């Protein structure tokens, strides 16, 4: 299978890339910082020498860079799986957060997935098979302390997922919304939170991989995951 993953240089995206590579699938990776992406790709290539690992850096908050990445992908492959994972968390309260925070959170956490999916879909539709995963959050499901604009962007990403699922039901393409609670990644390093208190990035990767393994007539619509001890 050909797996396109955004935000693949670290955290959840990297763990998903590692899991698919471990099962022998070819990767098409992107994230913003070119050096970090090249390092991640080199590590994966060393670990999984038989897998093809392609990568291109892009700032997915900018539509023209999303489209450039999409064209690059389509020149190389027809995606089997698209994982819209790139995103970041800016804490804030709606009343106090900086001007422009909603715009920047929407650009990275929502518009990136919207534009990339629309650009890659015609190719996936032409083969009537595929699977799109959108990495949402528990902040997509309920109000979240200091969630502010982030939570709005993640609610919107879940709305995108639900509508996409409805549209693609009879087109052979599955859509899964993944809603994790706290996962120990960069976002949490330096927070003082015990890594054992929250989930590991590989936990999310295992569930994404498992959901990709079902028969064509079955789809996992939503994956909701939390630390065993509950939300922080
Ligand atoms: P992370 O370790 O910080 O990794 C984020 C990835 O996204 C990096 O590869 C980063 O690349 C990329 N990225 C960010 N902004 C980008 C942009 N404008 N263009 C291209 N790539 C960009 O974060 P994570 O914790 O794994 O989070 C991954 C996803 O899971 C996010 O959507 C996040 O909202 C969601 N999530 C995380 C948690 C959690 O507790 N960690 C919980 C629920 C949902 P650069 O470093 O180069 O910018």
């Amino acid at each position: 299978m050909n797996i396109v993953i955004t935000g693949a240089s670290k955290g959840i995206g990297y763990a998903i890339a590692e899991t698919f590579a471990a099962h022998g699938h070819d990767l098409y990776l992107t994230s913003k910082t070119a050096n970090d992406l090249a390092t991640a790709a080199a590590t994966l290539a060393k670990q999984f020498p038989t897998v093809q690992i392609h990568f291109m850096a892009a700032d997915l908050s900018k539509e023209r860079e999303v489209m450039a990445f999409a064209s690059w992908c389509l020149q190389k492959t027809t995606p089997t799986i698209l994982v819209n994972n790139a995103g970041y968390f800016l804490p804030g309260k709606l009343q106090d957060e900086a001007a422009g925070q909603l715009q920047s959170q929407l650009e990275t956490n929502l518009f990136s997935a919207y534009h990339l999916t629309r650009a890659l879909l015609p190719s996936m539709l032409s083969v009537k098979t595929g699977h799109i995963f959108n990495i949402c959050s528990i902040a997509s499901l309920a109000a979240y302390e200091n969630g502010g604009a982030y939570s709005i962007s993640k609610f919107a990403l879940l709305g995108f997922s639900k509508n996409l699922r409805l549209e693609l039901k009879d087109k052979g393409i599955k859509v899964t919304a993944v809603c994790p609670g706290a996962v120990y990644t960069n976002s949490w390093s330096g927070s003082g939170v015990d890594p054992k208190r929250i989930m590991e990035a590989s936990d999310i990767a295992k569930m994404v991989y498992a959901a990709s393994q079902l028969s064509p007539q079955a789809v996992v619509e939503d994956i909701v995951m939390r630390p065993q001890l509950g939300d922080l």
Side-chain angles (χ1 to χ4, degrees), residues 3-228:
I3 320 295
V4 178
I5 305 172
T6 72
S9 63
K10 50 195 80 151
I12 295 170
Y14 182 84
I16 293 172
E18 196 175 29
T19 300
F20 278 100
H23 289 89
H25 302 293
D26 293 337
L27 304 178
Y28 299 80
L29 308 178
T30 187
S31 61
K32 190 169 62 188
T33 311
N35 277 348
D36 291 355
L37 182 62
T39 303
T43 308
L44 289 167
K46 204 167 165 190
Q47 210 179 341
F48 307 107
T50 59
V51 163
Q52 285 186 42
I53 298 166
H54 308 269
F55 61 97
M56 175 187 162
D59 181 348
L60 301 179
S61 68
K62 299 187 165 69
E63 185 178 349
R64 67 171 187 286
E65 295 200 27
V66 176
M67 299 320 272
F69 173 68
S71 304
W72 174 87
C73 279
L74 293 172
Q75 276 162 21
K76 295 186 181 305
T77 192
T78 296
T80 321
I81 291 183
L82 165 62
V83 183
N84 287 309
N85 164 76
Y88 72 111
F89 171 54
L90 274 179
K93 290 194 188 299
L94 299 175
Q95 174 66 54
D96 307 326
E97 61 192 19
Q101 188 146 320
L102 179 59
Q103 182 67 25
S104 58
Q105 287 281 269
L106 287 173
E107 281 167 355
T108 303
N109 298 350
L110 175 69
F111 298 166
S112 59
Y114 175 83
H115 294 310
L116 184 58
T117 303
R118 281 163 47 95
L120 297 184
L121 252 184
S123 167
M124 297 171 83
L125 286 167
S126 72
V127 292
K128 297 189 175 60
T129 178
H131 199 150
I132 298 168
F133 289 88
N134 293 310
I135 309 299
C136 303
S137 169
I138 52 155
S140 303
L141 304 174
Y144 185 71
E145 197 63 43
N146 287 315
Y150 174 79
S151 186
I152 296 175
S153 74
K154 289 294 183 176
F155 263 83
L157 186 63
L158 182 60
F160 168 65
S161 259
K162 298 277 178 202
N163 281 279
L164 198 61
R165 160 76 184 126
L166 187 66
E167 284 184 25
L168 297 177
K169 232 176 204 175
D170 58 353
K171 306 280 188 301
I173 298 177
K174 303 181 186 189
V175 179
T176 302
V178 183
C179 297
V183 182
Y184 202 84
T185 62
N186 261 6
S187 326
W188 289 94
S189 60
S191 66
V193 169
D194 177 0
K196 293 286 174 215
R197 170 63 180 82
I198 61 180
M199 292 182 285
E200 297 174 4
S202 64
D203 291 323
I204 314 307
K206 284 175 192 159
M207 290 302 288
V208 167
Y209 183 76
S212 77
Q213 293 302 298
L214 306 185
S215 65
Q217 61 270 31
V219 63
V220 178
E221 292 184 331
D222 301 289
I223 297 175
V224 179
M225 297 176 70
R226 288 195 157 84
Q228 169 64 12

